[in-house]
Amino acid sequence: MFTGLIEEIGSVKSITSSGDGYLLEIEAQVVLGETRIGDSISINGACQTVTEVKSRSFTVFVSKITASITTLGEFKPGRKVNLERAMTPSSRFGGHIVQGHVDGTGIIQSVKKDASGQEIHIAASHELLRYVVAKGSVSVDGISLTVVSLHDDSFVLYLIPETLSKTIIGDWKPGGTVNIEVDILAKYVERMLGNNKDEHESDRDDVLRRKLFEEGYI
């Protein structure tokens, strides 16, 4: 599990075909500290298992499935990536619960800069947007971010200089693709409400639904 707080920006060193996928070598420094083979590292929001550790890089195996549903399949040598090690029991929990299980991808519609930061519009499918709410959390390329507003086919983010300086957001351009992981809590709420069929509990369900709607969760 991750927090969505990026530890460092790494870069793709090499990509080598291997079996039913490929080996992805990432140049890094900070995340190499105490990292061992078998540990998990989030690469642009996708949780990957370390297969080799060197003095200035680590390697993971990317399956064809992962490559097909995330932006990892688009990687080329030299590309910058967001990196975060899996959290420990003693870690500060400054972001939100991020599993590293990418739900899908979005397309950057626009990037508007001002004196204080950047406003970014990201288009996404209805299947993803159903779990996104204004002022709620979403992981984009592994970064824990707060949604400013929501539209029928997109959501809006506003990034401050601190976030821009510590992530690859500065490289985002209109038309680019990003990994999206929605808040797992939204999925659990939907599952709970959808599975509760007991007619004796219908009144309680109505109250819960109304409360969630009033608070902007559904």
Side-chain angles (χ1 to χ4, degrees):
M1 187 170 71
F2 306 90
T3 67
L5 299 184
I6 304 305
E7 294 188 276
E8 75 168 311
I9 297 174
S11 63
V12 177
K13 183 175 182 179
S14 66
I15 300 173
T16 307
S17 295
S18 178
D20 196 27
Y22 59 89
L23 296 175
L24 177 65
E25 185 177 4
I26 303 292
E27 291 184 324
Q29 294 182 10
V30 176
V31 300
L32 296 179
E34 300 182 356
T35 293
R36 301 289 183 269
I37 293 175
D39 288 350
S40 296
I41 292 182
S42 169
I43 304 174
N44 276 13
C47 177
Q48 299 292 284
T49 301
V50 175
T51 60
E52 183 180 6
V53 180
K54 297 180 181 178
S55 61
R56 295 185 179 181
S57 68
F58 69 92
T59 300
V60 301
F61 174 77
V62 180
S63 69
K64 286 187 176 180
I65 294 177
T66 298
S68 67
I69 64 176
T70 72
T71 60
L72 272 63
E74 304 173 1
F75 283 6
K76 290 182 172 30
R79 176 163 176 162
K80 294 180 180 179
V81 292
N82 291 322
L83 301 174
E84 180 190 359
R85 289 168 292 185
M87 66 183 300
T88 66
S90 60
S91 301
R92 286 189 174 183
F93 199 171
H96 74 284
I97 298 173
V98 178
Q99 295 181 295
H101 302 162
V102 176
D103 293 300
T105 57
I107 303 295
I108 300 171
Q109 290 184 315
S110 64
V111 177
K112 301 177 182 177
K113 300 180 181 180
D114 60 29
S116 301
Q118 290 185 11
E119 179 182 282
I120 298 178
H121 292 239
I122 298 179
S125 66
H126 173 72
E127 286 71 22
L128 295 179
L129 291 175
R130 66 191 294 180
Y131 301 110
V132 179
V133 297
K135 299 181 182 177
S137 296
V138 65
S139 170
V140 183
D141 272 356
I143 313 163
S144 174
L145 298 169
T146 300
V147 177
V148 174
S149 60
L150 186 66
H151 302 290
D152 290 339
D153 61 353
S154 63
F155 60 92
V156 180
L157 305 169
Y158 188 83
L159 294 312
I160 61 175
E162 176 72 7
T163 304
L164 294 171
S165 68
K166 293 186 176 181
T167 68
I168 62 170
I169 292 176
D171 294 335
W172 288 358
K173 300 290 188 298
T177 306
V178 290
N179 291 323
I180 296 176
E181 180 186 333
V182 299
D183 193 339
I184 186 63
L185 297 179
K187 293 182 180 180
Y188 280 126
V189 169
E190 180 184 63
R191 179 73 170 176
M192 179 180 66
L193 294 177
N195 281 354
N196 196 340
K197 303 299 184 180
D198 191 338
E199 62 180 12
H200 297 294
E201 298 179 348
S202 60
D203 290 342
R204 186 185 68 183
D205 287 351
D206 289 341
V207 172
L208 178 56
R209 287 177 184 274
R210 184 165 58 253
K211 183 63 175 176
L212 291 172
F213 178 80
E214 291 172 351
E215 296 296 330
Y217 290 105
I218 60 174

